[in-house]
Amino acid sequence: MLLAALIVLAALTRVLPHPPNFSPVAAIALFGGAYFANRSWALIVPLAGLFISDLVLASMHGGLYATWFSGAHIWVVYGLIALTTLMGFGLRGRVGGGRVLGYSLAGAVLFFVVSNFAAWLGNPMYPQTLAGLMASYVAGIPFFQWSVAGTLFYSAILFGGFSLLRARLPALRLQTV
């Protein structure tokens, strides 16, 4: 039930009006990596939410969305979400506020650095020079602030909410999801 709820949450929050890049997908990836007993499900849940919302966004926006997220860049995005899940494996058994904050920030920075590098490589708008690379990073800054805010917000809700549930439900104390 929780797995389905997280997939729906990820898909809905990307489709409903929101600031750009303010999404729970990275937080769900970290949470899944930290808590899902089955590591395969930890990878599948955020990727499924991302995929479902991509399908909905593509149908809503047609060619514009499909063109913007076509090619290698989309594989970079999916790869980064999978990598964020793998980062979450490092939180297993060691979840705490400081660690969740650090991993959330590290995931957001990694996403920014790698996805903007990929945009520079794959977008003819940016010249293949150091100046073009810097331009791609500068263009990404407005989105980065929302990515960090979204990851921190949803990480606080997921990890904090689960911690509160564990305190109230003894069955959750000894096991992961």
Side-chain angles (χ1 to χ4, degrees), residues 22-40:
F22 192 87
S23 165
V25 177
I28 291 170
L30 276 175
F31 180 82
Y35 282 119
F36 287 11
N38 184 316
R39 291 177 186 242
S40 296

Side-chain angles (χ1 to χ4, degrees), residues 42-119:
L43 285 161
I44 290 168
V45 167
L47 294 173
L50 187 62
F51 180 72
I52 291 166
S53 59
D54 279 345
L55 290 177
V56 172
L57 288 168
S59 70
M60 290 170 56
H61 300 289
L64 176 63
Y65 186 82
T67 302
W68 180 253
F69 288 98
S70 63
H73 190 261
I74 195 161
W75 295 112
V76 170
V77 170
Y78 280 77
L80 286 166
I81 294 303
L83 186 58
T84 303
T85 303
L86 297 178
M87 288 173 58
F89 292 163
L91 285 170
R92 287 178 177 251
R94 304 177 335 176
V95 174
R99 280 198 173 99
V100 170
L101 174 65
Y103 276 69
S104 296
L105 290 172
V109 169
L110 178 69
F111 193 92
F112 173 78
V113 170
V114 175
S115 66
N116 282 285
F117 183 82

Side-chain angles (χ1 to χ4, degrees), residues 18-24 26 108 112 140-154:
H18 64 283
N21 288 18
F22 192 87
S23 165
F112 173 78
I141 290 172
F143 302 99
F144 177 60
Q145 67 184 355
W146 288 111
S147 179
V148 170
T151 301
L152 292 176
F153 175 78
Y154 287 111

